[in-house]
Amino acid sequence: MSFINLKNVVKVYPDGTQAIFNSSLSIEKGELVVFVGPSGCGKSTLLRMIAGLEDVTDGEIDLDGNRINEIDPSERDIAMVFQNYALYPHMSVYNNIAYGLRSRGIKKLEIEAQVTNVSELLQIGDLLSKKPGQLSGGQRQRVAMGRAIARDPKVFLFDEPLSNLDAKLRVQVRLEIKKLQRKMGTTSIFVTHDQTEAMTLGDRLVVMNKGVMEQVGTPMEIYYHPKTKFVAEFIGTPSMNFITGSIKDKTFKASSFAIPAKYEDKDDVILGVRPEDISITKATTGVKCKVELIEKLGSSTVIYCVDMKENQLCVSTQSRASVEVGDTIHISTNNKALHFFDRETSKALTK
Ligand SMILES: Nc1ncnc2c1ncn2[C@@H]1O[C@H](COP(=O)(O)OP(=O)(O)OP(=O)(O)O)[C@@H](O)[C@H]1O
Ligand SMILES: [Mg+2]
């Protein structure tokens, strides 16, 4: 049996806002699952229902084989780190981390060992005697995380815990969380709207859109086999390119594209192609485009161009392309890496 089970969970807030539509999900013991999606899609709502901070309107949540809908948050043995963390301001960092352990009657020596262990992991060992008011935002966030980790709960819930950190620290702490989670093997759910964070952290991702779980899968499944246009567009930077056309006689045709597509004949099809699956060709047989903007990122170059039918296209190349704004280039797609969606339903076409 799975460790956490959501069965047909629904959330309607008292003002009538339906934040979560019929959602089911099974999480295995020791897994790190990431809820990812744009602002307002219901990530925090779902997490808070698991923590017990929001009532479940309909459906059931099970933890370790038991229904927890009616169980008080303090009885669930779940630790949560919030977007806006709260530390006890009058207590030192040490006491903030030790608090949860003391209240459970754990012995002093054991607490000391645990606080030392956690503070080393989070690189806050030299801050233990300080008060939260004397720390930077990033340091405070790590203390909040330390407090959750030290308790060694059944489940960790993280709600965008890295939002207040600068870019470099964010990557560092992200790595620490991943290592820590592996080491401790604690079942965890991490919420973020940042797809890179989701891809790098999660064993599995739950991509959410407007209160619906659009797709659940490993990062690679989601990246290479998106089931909807929304997932295809949301995951990956720069975003996937989309071109509207139709399929006839096993060929996708759009204004300036004709590409093999082994699907049934269909009007209103959207072709999706990732920027890294488009390359600049020397031959003039490719689709002719005009370069409008270039972003040189060092390890790659992103070229924004427009074809002769005004389709905007983004190309990402690892090579040092000697291309300038205003140049005419020819591009071709990697036909093994194309995605096709039904324009009406936005669902991926199946063969
Ligand atoms: N207490 C509330 N009462 C009514 N509606 C709410 C309440 N809390 C959240 N909502 C609504 O529920 C929806 C989901 O909100 P939620 O906070 O779960 O989104 P989120 O995915 O966590 O977004 P963000 O990335 O901005 O944190 C939103 O439309 C939001 O306005
Ligand atoms: Mg949120």
Side-chain angles (χ1 to χ4, degrees):
M1 198 195 325
S2 301
F3 197 59
I4 301 175
N5 250 316
L6 308 187
K7 297 181 196 159
N8 306 109
V9 169
V10 170
K11 176 69 184 180
V12 181
Y13 280 107
D15 69 355
T17 307
Q18 180 153 8
I20 299 293
F21 292 79
N22 198 325
S23 293
S24 298
L25 178 71
S26 297
I27 297 176
E28 301 304 320
K29 194 162 188 173
E31 245 193 319
L32 199 177
V33 171
V34 177
F35 293 171
V36 62
S39 184
C41 70
K43 307 178 293 292
S44 297
T45 301
L46 206 51
L47 205 68
R48 291 170 61 82
M49 284 195 283
I50 297 169
L53 303 173
E54 287 293 347
D55 291 337
V56 179
T57 309
D58 203 0
E60 181 174 314
I61 301 181
D62 297 346
L63 173 61
D64 205 3
N66 301 311
R67 176 183 163 105
I68 56 168
N69 289 44
E70 293 78 22
I71 307 281
D72 196 72
S74 60
E75 304 288 310
R76 293 188 186 195
D77 198 9
I78 290 176
M80 183 153 169
V81 182
F82 293 94
Q83 211 159 356
N84 298 311
Y85 45 85
L87 297 172
Y88 302 113
H90 58 286
M91 285 187 200
S92 66
V93 167
Y94 183 97
N95 286 333
N96 261 287
I97 297 175
Y99 184 81
L101 302 175
R102 283 203 190 108
S103 61
R104 289 158 128 214
I106 292 170
K107 292 203 183 72
K108 197 169 171 233
L109 274 179
E110 212 175 305
I111 292 178
E112 240 175 68
Q114 185 68 340
V115 174
T116 307
N117 187 14
V118 166
S119 54
E120 265 171 27
L121 278 168
L122 292 165
Q123 297 172 31
I124 47 174
D126 51 347
L127 305 175
L128 292 175
S129 58
K130 291 199 172 186
K131 297 262 170 70
Q134 299 168 297
L135 306 178
S136 75
Q139 291 168 334
R140 263 181 248 163
Q141 186 59 313
R142 277 184 286 164
V143 175
M145 228 142 46
R147 197 171 56 181
I149 290 163
R151 269 181 49 192
D152 195 14
K154 268 189 188 159
V155 178
F156 288 138
L157 303 179
F158 297 99
D159 193 345
E160 311 230 19
L162 310 180
S163 333
N164 298 325
L165 309 187
D166 69 44
K168 198 160 175 199
L169 196 59
R170 201 178 163 124
V171 173
Q172 219 174 52
V173 179
R174 182 166 89 201
L175 217 79
E176 291 302 334
I177 291 182
K178 177 113 181 165
K179 277 200 261 175
L180 209 71
Q181 198 272 341
R182 285 263 178 287
K183 206 163 145 191
M184 299 179 73
T186 310
T187 313
S188 305
I189 306 175
F190 190 102
V191 161
T192 178
H193 60 267
D194 180 334
Q195 58 91 31
T196 311
E197 206 158 277
M199 291 289 285
T200 52
L201 261 180
D203 294 322
R204 281 191 304 154
L205 314 186
V206 177
V207 184
M208 295 179 63
N209 179 26
K210 296 180 184 155
V212 173
M213 294 182 179
E214 289 252 341
Q215 190 170 349
V216 180
T218 64
M220 291 304 113
E221 278 165 5
I222 302 256
Y223 192 81
Y224 290 110
H225 304 288
K227 285 187 177 160
T228 65
K229 181 171 172 271
F230 173 85
V231 173
E233 190 166 14
F234 190 75
I235 301 290
T237 49
S239 269
M240 191 183 273
N241 295 289
F242 295 106
I243 297 149
T244 306
S246 58
I247 294 176
K248 196 158 191 292
D249 301 333
K250 308 288 176 215
T251 305
F252 170 85
K253 287 199 180 111
S255 41
S256 46
F257 284 84
I259 289 175
K262 289 182 186 149
Y263 296 88
E264 297 297 312
D265 286 4
K266 184 165 177 42
D267 290 334
D268 292 332
V269 173
I270 297 174
L271 161 71
V273 53
R274 295 206 183 274
E276 67 268 29
D277 293 319
I278 304 181
S279 50
I280 301 174
T281 59
K282 292 219 167 65
T284 52
T285 46
V287 175
K288 191 172 165 185
C289 292
K290 196 165 172 133
V291 176
E292 292 196 317
L293 191 74
I294 299 174
E295 287 173 354
K296 291 186 177 159
L297 304 175
S299 62
S300 65
T301 302
V302 182
I303 301 163
Y304 296 89
C305 52
V306 57
D307 71 9
M308 295 305 120
K309 303 284 182 186
E310 298 295 317
N311 289 308
Q312 300 282 336
L313 290 163
C314 175
V315 181
S316 173
T317 167
Q318 302 260 313
S319 63
R320 291 188 193 180
S322 54
V323 175
E324 302 293 335
V325 171
D327 282 1
T328 298
I329 56 172
H330 291 82
I331 58 164
S332 69
T333 52
N334 171 5
N335 292 350
K336 288 195 185 119
L338 303 179
H339 304 266
F340 294 96
F341 303 95
D342 183 325
R343 191 177 173 194
E344 204 179 325
T345 63
S346 289
K347 293 209 165 98
L349 296 188
T350 47
K351 281 181 188 164

